[in-house]
Amino acid sequence: MAAEQDPEARAAARPLLTDLYQATMALGYWRAGRACDEAEFELFFRRCPFGGAFALAAGLRDCVRFLRSFRLQDADVQFLASVLPPDTDPAFFEHLRALDCSGVTVRALPEGSLAFPGVPLLQVSGPLLVVQLLETPLLCLVGYASLIATNAARLRLIAGPEKRLLEMGLRRAQGPDGGLTASTYSYLGGFDGTSNVLAGQLRGVPVAGTLAHSFITSFSGSEVPPDPMLALPARQGPSVDLATRVEAWLERVCAHLGLEVQEPHPGERAAFVAYALAFPQAFQGLLDTYSVRRFQVPWLASVPIAVSNNIGEEELAQLAQEGSEVNLIGIGTSVVTCPRQPSLGCVYKLVSVGGQPRMKLTEDPEKQTLPGSKAAFRLRDSDGSLLLDVLQLAEEPPPQAGQELRVWPRGARESCTVRPAYVEPLLRLWVQRGQLCEPLPSLAESRAFSQLSLSRLSLAHRRLVQPAQYQVVLSEKLQALVDRLSAGGRP
Amino acid sequence: MAAEQDPEARAAARPLLTDLYQATMALGYWRAGRACDEAEFELFFRRCPFGGAFALAAGLRDCVRFLRSFRLQDADVQFLASVLPPDTDPAFFEHLRALDCSGVTVRALPEGSLAFPGVPLLQVSGPLLVVQLLETPLLCLVGYASLIATNAARLRLIAGPEKRLLEMGLRRAQGPDGGLTASTYSYLGGFDGTSNVLAGQLRGVPVAGTLAHSFITSFSGSEVPPDPMLALPARQGPSVDLATRVEAWLERVCAHLGLEVQEPHPGERAAFVAYALAFPQAFQGLLDTYSVRRFQVPWLASVPIAVSNNIGEEELAQLAQEGSEVNLIGIGTSVVTCPRQPSLGCVYKLVSVGGQPRMKLTEDPEKQTLPGSKAAFRLRDSDGSLLLDVLQLAEEPPPQAGQELRVWPRGARESCTVRPAYVEPLLRLWVQRGQLCEPLPSLAESRAFSQLSLSRLSLAHRRLVQPAQYQVVLSEKLQALVDRLSAGGRP
């Protein structure tokens, strides 16, 4: 598989962006002669974030980019050799040098899909050694992307469809890539844009922004912009006395805020004139650090109002109330850092080796894994609303619309039945033995899909506080396999 | 200034990793003829994170790397042109194309320094337009690095100097760079190493790791490693029957944990044999997901014990109690995501333009900035312990050791005096008009410096819960300038 010629490639993960134990395990597999055993891992989460009942799946695009360029460079192999025991067989490093993802197959939820606990976001199969090495980077690429998309979707649900939501958290992110990921996936989750220019350039996210307080304080009032009488381009009307316009505008904004006109900083007029000079068609003024008032052509006619001061879910709910004239909302820290739950806690678990199902047995039922290569279906009612997700063994025939199906809710002692009106297969084949099977949707398409998916979720499940839990159930055959392996039996 | 030839360069920030309003303000400055006005910004925080009384400064290395390679590519300028108004003067884009940081000067706290509210971590001066553009990337590079270093330093204080602390949070980070930043700066703050191989390769952080549960579950017990009788290298003794050793070891570990020997997964023996085969000199076994037991040569003699299950400050305090045999502690989510406070909240404020001090006036005294180009000193007592930090105007003579100094605690109505035994200038000149003035210390040197700095802080300030607040005071001249500007006077 050739490395992708992609302007974003340098932002992607690299093979050594992994935990060292992946490399030590790789050596263990190799030494035991098992490097090429066919294995399958599933990447999933066990609980929905933020106390909600849903998550959005995201990060697949980054995973595919990573897999397609996965190749250890000489320097990478040399570094691994320097941290592994000196008596390690050199043939192991030759194996690493030749490694790529040409044997790796990926099934996944499409970007922007609703995801629920235990349903795989990714199924990754291929040679045991390489699919093990992929664990950490795939978790890194999917976990935060899905968390941010879900966080953004919640904020969008609170704000309603009309408000413009802008992500402005780059400066509060975990370094450059944290910021780029946050901007990309908050857009996928339902935001309208970002302040992050690089996310615009690399990912096509709409960008927006006006000015900060430092622009105002940089003017003392004594600066006279070189051309205070601005000649608008001929087709747009006569020349405009910006200074006079700004005076009138300041008076109006001050009246709106109940401030005395003399209160603004002495440099503010000069700053606004200078800014209007640069943006004659879309003049935005900043009255204080946190209140942005915006004028658009025709001047003084419309006043979209923006705020950006530490907006979390509660503050947004207030702003979204009917009657609020705020219609542009910038959110920084609380969308980017997800303070209520700063990580999604995805896991990547082995479900089969050499075609044999594997299961992690533990006393904690929540941490028990579901064995075997699986398929997943979403069952919908006749009105299109979601009923539940079914996990079953890959070899089972899919559920049939209109036919009764016996299933086992996870952890339940008794089965129940469901009769779906529609059956939607959830996991799509994206990469087969290293080859991309279909083009990935664009970010904007995934964004639209995420909003469509959310609209199909019942209000009880979509509710952000104490929602009804969405059911994920097992087919009878999968349940029987779980029972057999739990009892210590052979697959 | 030439772009740095640096293997890390591609991990660094890029000029467009910025908020759009920096570019719109740049246009505003340029249109007003002020692009080259000499300006100075300070980067600082207003409150120490996590309820503590100190932070560690970090991220300078990344900032310097970013500045030295700062240059807008043609594609960058074209992208900006596509998002700015279509009638923007093309000469502005010519200005951007020629832009670099050859006029930028940076003074900063050395990496790993103790930092306190209001004391600049960075002072950045140069042409107004370019130092404005630097705001977002510098905040992005310093904020998270300093937060993580501080978080790691707190965890180190709790653990004490003897325990080995490993950062293992890559999979919970904000994407690839979030993980790299976390691994780098948790080491700077006092951790011993990381699981993140890339941080080892690019930043020289010691890496460590053993094996995960998937390695165990990949063995069913039927696999026979090709060479169960392992011949150790000749100099290290006779051949060893690994299978027998593993049996004995499992018995001992099970006894230690109070488990029946038959309880382990049927594949565990085979897995441990395979792993021991790969690592004959440093065999580590995993009994369950969260308990790693490690054997080192001579086999079965020493049993360092590691844990890695959701360790936060409270859990670490328990593990650190005397008598605990746990001496290797892996911390993931709680070091990387800083759940108690996921962002430091640094700001970047204009303090002077054209040599004239600037100050942000606001009703909130905490948000008022300190005007003017400043120097900062740390005053120490005769026993070397820290007394307080003094901010003063750059042109003032430094405080003298042994001489009484009159100062104003921030927000106080009365001055007080202090007589330092030692006076330490805090801000070092690292970059002068684009030229690096002295080599940056290595990461390991900064790590040692951070531990030394912390040791000089009194126990009352170092305490993690309800600590005494460390004082930052103003010189009389700086206080007088603040008073004059607050009253609306001219500088």
Side-chain angles (χ1 to χ4, degrees):
Chain A
M1 179 160 45
E4 205 170 6
Q5 293 306 311
D6 179 342
E8 295 181 55
R10 74 173 185 165
R14 296 191 249 176
L16 287 201
L17 187 85
T18 195
D19 292 309
L20 182 62
Y21 75 11
Q22 312 292 3
T24 59
M25 286 192 279
L27 173 55
Y29 291 135
W30 181 84
R31 188 71 175 79
R34 305 189 61 210
C36 296
D37 285 9
E38 188 72 14
E40 181 168 336
F41 284 81
E42 286 180 355
L43 192 157
F44 59 94
F45 57 84
R46 296 189 176 114
R47 279 191 209 183
C48 289
F50 313 123
F54 69 87
L56 290 181
L60 175 62
R61 197 180 180 79
D62 295 331
C63 291
V64 170
R65 183 182 310 121
F66 169 66
L67 292 175
R68 296 187 74 196
S69 64
F70 182 96
R71 190 102 203 181
L72 288 146
Q73 307 296 312
D74 279 346
D76 299 340
V77 176
Q78 282 162 20
F79 183 76
L80 283 177
S82 76
V83 295
L84 289 174
D87 55 357
T88 302
D89 189 337
F92 173 65
F93 299 112
E94 288 314 307
H95 186 85
L96 291 185
R97 246 180 265 273
L99 215 58
D100 63 19
C101 286
S102 58
V104 174
T105 293
V106 177
R107 287 182 175 77
L109 297 181
E111 293 264 77
S113 295
L114 286 169
F116 300 103
V119 177
L121 283 75
L122 257 63
Q123 291 175 320
V124 183
S125 56
L128 178 57
L129 186 150
V130 70
V131 290
Q132 177 75 66
L133 277 181
L134 299 177
E135 173 176 7
T136 311
L138 294 183
L139 285 170
C140 181
L141 293 171
V142 168
Y144 180 61
S146 300
L147 185 77
I148 276 284
T150 307
N151 197 19
R154 290 172 64 92
L155 293 165
R156 167 57 70 200
L157 284 173
I158 294 171
E162 302 301 327
K163 305 279 183 199
R164 274 174 56 76
L165 295 180
L166 293 182
E167 178 275 318
M168 302 171 46
L170 174 56
R171 63 188 60 195
R172 304 289 177 238
Q174 290 183 4
D177 183 81
L180 187 61
T181 307
S183 305
T184 305
Y185 293 104
S186 57
Y187 178 67
L188 184 144
F191 272 44
D192 293 294
T194 177
S195 66
N196 181 347
V197 185
L198 195 63
Q201 186 185 28
L202 297 185
R203 305 292 181 98
V205 182
V207 295
T210 56
L211 75 170
H213 203 89
S214 58
F215 189 82
I216 312 289
T217 46
S218 83
F219 287 82
S220 67
S222 62
E223 300 83 0
V224 179
D227 180 15
M229 289 293 286
L230 174 77
L232 286 175
R235 69 184 182 286
Q236 285 152 345
S239 70
V240 174
D241 179 347
L242 275 181
T244 306
R245 291 276 170 138
V246 166
E247 291 292 337
W249 173 80
L250 267 180
E251 272 175 39
R252 201 179 134 169
V253 173
C254 289
H256 178 79
L257 294 179
L259 298 174
E260 298 290 321
V261 170
Q262 56 268 41
E263 277 184 55
H265 182 278
E268 279 189 340
R269 281 177 187 75
F272 290 145
V273 171
Y275 196 80
L277 205 54
F279 294 91
Q281 300 306 313
F283 169 38
Q284 306 187 20
L286 184 82
L287 196 76
D288 65 37
T289 314
Y290 304 114
S291 312
V292 181
R293 300 289 179 277
R294 180 178 195 167
F295 278 59
Q296 286 179 320
V297 268
W299 285 37
L300 308 187
S302 70
V303 190
I305 292 185
V307 293
S308 64
N309 181 21
N310 286 336
I311 311 281
E313 291 193 353
E314 292 73 22
E315 296 76 14
L316 184 59
Q318 289 190 351
L319 289 171
Q321 281 174 355
E322 252 184 287
S324 164
E325 59 178 328
V326 170
N327 54 11
L328 176 64
I329 302 171
I331 307 187
T333 310
S334 73
V335 65
V336 164
T337 66
C338 305
R340 298 180 59 193
Q341 181 180 330
S343 73
L344 178 54
C346 285
V347 294
Y348 182 86
K349 294 295 176 189
L350 184 68
V351 297
S352 81
V353 187
Q356 295 298 307
R358 292 299 156 89
M359 178 174 176
K360 179 179 166 184
L361 296 170
T362 152
E363 291 105 53
D364 182 351
E366 200 186 45
K367 292 204 162 162
Q368 211 163 58
T369 60
L370 294 173
S373 189
K374 291 184 279 295
F377 299 90
R378 188 153 288 165
L379 308 190
R380 285 156 59 190
D381 213 346
S382 52
D383 64 358
S385 66
L386 307 192
L387 288 170
L388 45 75
D389 286 7
V390 185
L391 295 171
Q392 59 179 45
L393 295 173
E395 67 260 26
E396 293 184 67
Q400 295 298 308
Q403 292 194 6
E404 190 173 83
L405 185 70
R406 181 159 294 279
V407 294
W408 289 79
R410 282 204 72 179
R413 288 162 179 269
E414 297 202 352
S415 62
C416 61
T417 60
V418 59
R419 190 189 302 269
Y422 305 95
V423 175
E424 181 189 348
L426 286 177
L427 296 158
R428 298 250 293 262
L429 179 65
W430 297 102
V431 176
Q432 186 163 39
R433 301 209 158 263
Q435 298 301 314
L436 193 61
C437 300
E438 61 173 311
L440 290 160
S442 72
L443 186 60
E445 287 164 348
S446 297
R447 179 179 185 273
F449 180 64
S450 75
Q451 296 303 307
L452 175 68
S453 304
L454 271 169
S455 72
R456 289 184 179 149
L457 195 60
S458 77
L459 286 174
H461 296 123
R462 214 192 297 165
R463 202 164 58 211
L464 302 183
V465 179
Q466 299 193 307
Q469 292 306 307
Y470 183 83
Q471 266 197 336
V472 176
V473 303
L474 313 190
S475 71
E476 291 206 272
K477 282 199 172 158
L478 178 55
Q479 182 67 44
L481 178 63
V482 169
D483 290 342
R484 204 157 59 241
L485 293 178
S486 299
R490 308 291 298 177
Chain B
M1 177 160 51
E4 203 170 8
Q5 292 307 309
D6 181 341
E8 294 181 54
R10 75 172 186 165
R14 296 192 247 178
L16 287 201
L17 188 85
T18 195
D19 293 309
L20 182 63
Y21 75 11
Q22 311 293 3
T24 60
M25 288 192 279
L27 174 56
Y29 292 134
W30 181 84
R31 187 71 175 80
R34 306 188 63 210
C36 297
D37 284 10
E38 187 71 14
E40 182 168 334
F41 284 82
E42 287 179 354
L43 192 157
F44 59 94
F45 58 85
R46 295 188 176 114
R47 280 192 206 182
C48 290
F50 315 122
F54 69 87
L56 291 181
L60 175 62
R61 196 180 182 80
D62 295 330
C63 291
V64 169
R65 183 182 311 122
F66 169 66
L67 293 174
R68 297 187 74 196
S69 65
F70 182 96
R71 190 103 203 180
L72 287 146
Q73 307 295 312
D74 279 345
D76 298 341
V77 176
Q78 283 162 20
F79 182 75
L80 284 176
S82 76
V83 294
L84 289 174
D87 55 357
T88 302
D89 189 336
F92 172 65
F93 299 112
E94 288 314 307
H95 186 86
L96 291 184
R97 247 179 264 273
L99 214 60
D100 62 19
C101 286
S102 59
V104 174
T105 293
V106 177
R107 285 182 177 77
L109 297 181
E111 293 264 78
S113 295
L114 286 169
F116 300 104
V119 177
L121 283 75
L122 257 63
Q123 290 175 321
V124 183
S125 56
L128 178 57
L129 186 149
V130 69
V131 290
Q132 178 74 67
L133 276 182
L134 299 177
E135 173 175 7
T136 310
L138 294 183
L139 285 170
C140 180
L141 293 171
V142 169
Y144 180 62
S146 299
L147 185 75
I148 276 284
T150 307
N151 196 21
R154 290 172 65 91
L155 293 166
R156 168 56 70 200
L157 284 173
I158 294 170
E162 302 300 329
K163 306 279 183 199
R164 275 174 54 77
L165 295 180
L166 294 181
E167 178 275 317
M168 301 170 48
L170 173 56
R171 64 188 62 193
R172 305 290 177 240
Q174 289 182 4
D177 184 80
L180 187 60
T181 308
S183 305
T184 305
Y185 293 103
S186 57
Y187 178 67
L188 184 144
F191 271 45
D192 293 294
T194 177
S195 67
N196 181 346
V197 184
L198 196 64
Q201 186 185 28
L202 297 184
R203 305 291 180 99
V205 181
V207 294
T210 56
L211 76 170
H213 203 89
S214 57
F215 189 82
I216 312 289
T217 45
S218 83
F219 287 82
S220 66
S222 62
E223 301 81 2
V224 180
D227 179 15
M229 288 295 286
L230 174 77
L232 287 175
R235 68 186 183 284
Q236 284 152 344
S239 69
V240 175
D241 178 348
L242 276 179
T244 307
R245 291 274 171 140
V246 165
E247 290 292 336
W249 173 81
L250 268 180
E251 271 175 37
R252 203 179 131 167
V253 173
C254 290
H256 178 80
L257 294 179
L259 298 175
E260 298 291 321
V261 172
Q262 57 268 39
E263 277 185 55
H265 182 278
E268 280 189 338
R269 281 175 187 77
F272 290 145
V273 170
Y275 197 79
L277 207 54
F279 294 91
Q281 300 306 312
F283 169 37
Q284 306 186 20
L286 183 83
L287 195 74
D288 64 39
T289 315
Y290 304 115
S291 314
V292 181
R293 300 290 178 279
R294 180 180 196 167
F295 279 61
Q296 288 180 318
V297 267
W299 284 38
L300 308 186
S302 71
V303 189
I305 292 184
V307 292
S308 62
N309 180 21
N310 287 334
I311 310 282
E313 292 193 352
E314 292 72 22
E315 295 77 14
L316 184 59
Q318 289 191 351
L319 290 172
Q321 280 174 355
E322 253 184 285
S324 164
E325 59 180 327
V326 170
N327 53 12
L328 175 63
I329 302 171
I331 307 186
T333 310
S334 73
V335 66
V336 164
T337 65
C338 305
R340 298 180 59 192
Q341 182 181 330
S343 73
L344 178 54
C346 284
V347 295
Y348 182 85
K349 294 293 173 188
L350 184 69
V351 298
S352 83
V353 187
Q356 295 298 306
R358 292 300 157 87
M359 179 173 175
K360 178 180 167 183
L361 296 169
T362 151
E363 290 106 52
D364 182 351
E366 201 187 44
K367 292 203 163 165
Q368 212 163 58
T369 60
L370 294 172
S373 188
K374 291 184 280 296
F377 299 91
R378 189 154 289 167
L379 308 189
R380 286 157 55 189
D381 213 345
S382 52
D383 63 358
S385 66
L386 307 193
L387 289 169
L388 45 74
D389 285 7
V390 185
L391 295 171
Q392 59 179 45
L393 295 172
E395 67 259 26
E396 293 184 68
Q400 296 298 305
Q403 290 193 7
E404 192 174 84
L405 185 71
R406 181 160 294 277
V407 295
W408 290 78
R410 284 205 70 178
R413 289 160 180 270
E414 299 202 349
S415 63
C416 61
T417 60
V418 59
R419 189 190 301 272
Y422 305 96
V423 175
E424 181 190 349
L426 286 178
L427 295 158
R428 298 250 293 263
L429 179 64
W430 296 103
V431 176
Q432 186 163 39
R433 302 212 158 263
Q435 297 301 314
L436 193 62
C437 300
E438 60 173 310
L440 290 160
S442 72
L443 186 61
E445 286 165 347
S446 297
R447 178 179 186 273
F449 180 64
S450 75
Q451 295 304 306
L452 176 68
S453 304
L454 271 169
S455 71
R456 290 183 177 149
L457 195 60
S458 78
L459 286 175
H461 295 124
R462 212 191 299 165
R463 202 165 56 212
L464 302 184
V465 179
Q466 299 193 309
Q469 291 306 306
Y470 183 83
Q471 265 197 337
V472 176
V473 303
L474 313 189
S475 71
E476 292 205 272
K477 284 199 170 159
L478 178 55
Q479 181 67 45
L481 178 62
V482 169
D483 291 342
R484 204 156 61 242
L485 293 179
S486 299
R490 309 290 298 175

